[in-house]
Amino acid sequence: MTDTGRRVRHTGHPHGPVDRYPGVAEVDAAAHRLARRHPDRCRLREAGRSRAGRPLTLLSVDDGPRAVLVVGGPHPNEPVGVASALRLAGQLLDRPAKPGVSWHILLCLDPDGAALNSGWLDGPLTMRRHYEHFFRPAFEEQPELLPPADTDRAPMPESLALTGLLDELRPFLQCSLHGVDFGGAFVQLTRPVPGLSERFTRSVAHGGIPLDVDAYDAVGWASPAPGTYLMPAPGGAGLSRALPDEPELSTWSYAGRHGGVTAVLEVPMWAVDAVGDARPHPAARRAVGAAARTLRERAEELTALLAHVPPHARAAYGPLVRTTEFNLEVCPPLADEWLARWCEQPLSVSRVATAGIVAARIPVRVASMLLRLLADTGGPAADAARERAHGIVAESLDQLRHRFGARWVPVETQTAHQTRAVLAAADCLHPCPATP
């Protein structure tokens, strides 16, 4: 099973990418070209600035009173969202305006994080190269998440820019464009959208992408249809407490104060067909127990390796250090939760597969970031730490390739599905008037 992103010439939509992800600067330049080409329908403005002073560019199409807000690049390790944002803009401008609707596309919410991942976009889209350039911020540094009201932590500039757009535009729909490293496609909603599940499922099937029927990101959430999940109310029973992600403290829920619904659209880079299998797993207890032990053991080993990162590297690469520490801190409670709760109940093949994927994915992420932190450190101890981190990366990727059969999903397929899903969500909430 190959892990390469095979370079193929794109022959579909003229604004769609070849089998590569465009970088933020490339998308921004393309957006400016679109605005010059369609001055009657298209306009650009700066919606804010990132923590490092990078612009947050908003591309707006048409002037209808009912707004859709699309957020590209909320997580920097998920470049599909930036690519889909550009593809969506091109498709909107290639068709007549939808009566009464305006579209507002924030091209990249986290350009600072994207800069720390950008090295992957300049070469072959392989698993190994992806993780060589990997960065994903700790929860408190993800712009879509807002600080609790009872803390003194201020929202990030990117978060304020996004909530400012939500207050200004009052969109009836917000779409957040996400991706997963390994798995399948699914959608998370702040409230039901009648008709969307069926269209989402058809789009997934059209692209040959598995539908994630027991998504790890939505454990304990209501699921009105396979691959569709409803975000819970605060403190919902049965929810995972191992991770500090609270949908109610997010810009997803923020849209609801103006009556809007948010759709978080996930699509995989590497598909794992097992996540589409809802049948009972024949040996769930044993498989989940093995995944929990692997996760705990890897975390202990990687915590010891982190001690070899010198002070100068910690000072120079603070975001990498903080997210490495964050990921290592969540591993023990995750393993405990799997052993205490998951092992005591029947589980689907999909859920067991996601546990195995997470038990490989977190260590490969952490080991890869450690290699970046140790890159300029010499001495026998650092050399030994690097060698072991390389070993963990290799072992984890081999498991993902061979045990889980992870297969590359072409960028064209990812963006085509994500764009179809955005358009479907808007149509379900604001259908076009019937043609006379």
Side-chain angles (χ1 to χ4, degrees), residues 16-56:
V18 296
D19 200 39
R20 58 178 291 271
Y21 297 105
V24 174
E26 185 178 348
V27 167
D28 191 72
H32 279 80
R33 289 194 296 271
L34 285 174
R36 289 193 297 270
R37 194 178 306 137
H38 302 274
D40 56 328
R41 294 184 62 191
C42 190
R43 56 207 179 275
L44 281 169
R45 66 179 166 106
E46 189 176 291
R49 289 266 169 171
S50 71
R51 284 156 288 173
R54 293 181 172 90
L56 305 178

Side-chain angles (χ1 to χ4, degrees), residues 3 7 34 45 110 119 134 141 151 167 170 187 189-190 203 215 223 241 257 272 281 309 338 366 379 395 408:
D3 69 306
R7 293 193 178 276
L34 285 174
R45 66 179 166 106
D110 189 2
F134 183 86
E141 297 175 52
T151 69
D167 288 335
R170 304 171 70 90
V187 57
L189 300 169
T190 51
S203 176
S223 180
R241 293 296 170 221
R257 64 182 61 192
V272 174
H281 192 284
V309 176
W338 295 353
V366 172
E395 293 161 15
W408 173 251

Side-chain angles (χ1 to χ4, degrees), residues 120-184:
W120 185 49
L121 308 185
D122 298 329
L125 301 180
T126 65
M127 288 184 193
R128 184 173 292 277
R129 286 196 71 256
H130 172 57
Y131 287 104
E132 285 175 354
H133 302 278
F134 183 86
F135 170 73
R136 178 188 178 94
F139 269 62
E140 291 186 354
E141 297 175 52
Q142 295 179 12
E144 284 192 310
L145 302 182
L146 301 172
D150 59 354
T151 69
D152 57 2
R153 181 164 59 89
M156 293 182 294
E158 299 90 337
S159 306
L160 291 173
L162 180 51
T163 55
L165 286 173
L166 290 165
D167 288 335
E168 172 195 343
L169 300 171
R170 304 171 70 90
F172 72 90
L173 171 66
Q174 176 185 213
C175 288
S176 182
L177 306 182
H178 285 255
V180 296
D181 313 35
F182 304 95

Side-chain angles (χ1 to χ4, degrees), residues 1 42 151 168 170-171 190 228 273 280 297 312 324 354 391 405 409 436:
M1 183 70 66
C42 190
T151 69
E168 172 195 343
R170 304 171 70 90
T190 51
T228 298
D273 290 327
E297 291 167 3
H312 74 269
T324 297
T354 59
V409 178

Side-chain angles (χ1 to χ4, degrees), residues 213-236:
V213 299
D214 201 349
Y216 183 79
D217 287 357
V219 171
W221 296 16
S223 180
T228 298
Y229 304 92
L230 300 180
M231 295 184 196

